[in-house]
Amino acid sequence: MYAFFCLFRNGFPNHLEELAKELEFLEGTFSQDEQARITTAHKLPKAVFNKGAMVATAVLLNDKNQTVKAYCLSYLDKLLATPAWHKDAILYYSELLEHSDQVIRKGACTALGRLKAVEAAQQLKYLAKVDFPEVRESAKRALLQLG
């Protein structure tokens, strides 16, 4: 009983709430329904720093709908403008460059370019040489954004 009390006292409900938010982003992101993806993307600019939102952004940056992409770019601009989130976002998107899903790697390249992540230049150079063509092109565009 004491262990259960400690979980609640140490923020367990907050952790569950965070996980629920992450799952909400991911559910809409991978939907076949375009309106669900638009709704999810619409929530991004209002989102706080959240790994689910960052994965959603990486995936939705590849969406054909320009409105969806615009919401994603707005979220990235918010991360760029918030120094504490900016650094953590660069670290997380750098990790996503090693993800098994090429769509997520491609989106992570785009995100790192938008975030001006010079720290990720070596990883982007590597992907620009060895990954699938779409990821290579995204990595090259990100490197051009870095200057």
Side-chain angles (χ1 to χ4, degrees):
M1 183 67 166
Y2 178 73
F4 187 71
F5 172 75
C6 287
L7 279 175
F8 271 80
R9 193 181 74 194
N10 292 327
F12 185 69
N14 292 339
H15 183 66
L16 285 178
E17 187 178 323
E18 238 178 82
L19 284 174
K21 287 178 185 176
E22 287 184 27
L23 289 174
E24 182 182 352
F25 277 116
L26 295 176
E27 182 180 23
T29 299
F30 292 102
S31 174
Q32 295 299 317
D33 178 31
E34 182 178 39
Q35 189 57 48
R37 292 191 313 277
I38 292 171
T39 301
T40 298
H42 179 72
K43 295 175 187 176
L44 286 171
K46 300 171 199 149
V48 296
F49 183 80
N50 175 308
K51 288 185 178 180
M54 290 196 306
V55 171
T57 301
V59 172
L60 293 173
L61 281 167
N62 297 291
D63 202 279
K64 292 177 180 151
N65 186 306
Q66 292 304 311
T67 302
V68 170
K69 288 182 183 181
Y71 285 131
C72 293
L73 294 174
S74 179
Y75 179 66
L76 292 172
D77 290 343
K78 181 178 179 178
L79 295 177
L80 182 61
T82 311
W85 294 353
H86 181 238
K87 182 179 177 183
D88 290 339
I90 289 172
L91 290 172
Y92 190 65
Y93 281 120
S94 294
E95 288 175 16
L96 289 180
L97 292 177
E98 299 176 16
H99 198 278
S100 61
D101 187 334
Q102 70 176 338
V103 171
I104 292 176
R105 288 195 310 276
K106 181 181 173 193
C109 290
T110 303
L112 288 166
R114 185 71 173 210
L115 294 172
K116 308 290 185 215
V118 294
E119 304 91 326
Q122 289 302 321
Q123 286 176 284
L124 290 167
K125 285 178 186 176
Y126 177 76
L127 290 179
K129 292 178 184 174
V130 300
D131 213 317
F132 290 100
E134 286 187 1
V135 179
R136 283 198 309 258
E137 287 306 310
S138 187
K140 288 174 187 176
R141 281 192 302 275
L143 287 166
L144 288 173
Q145 287 180 297
L146 299 181

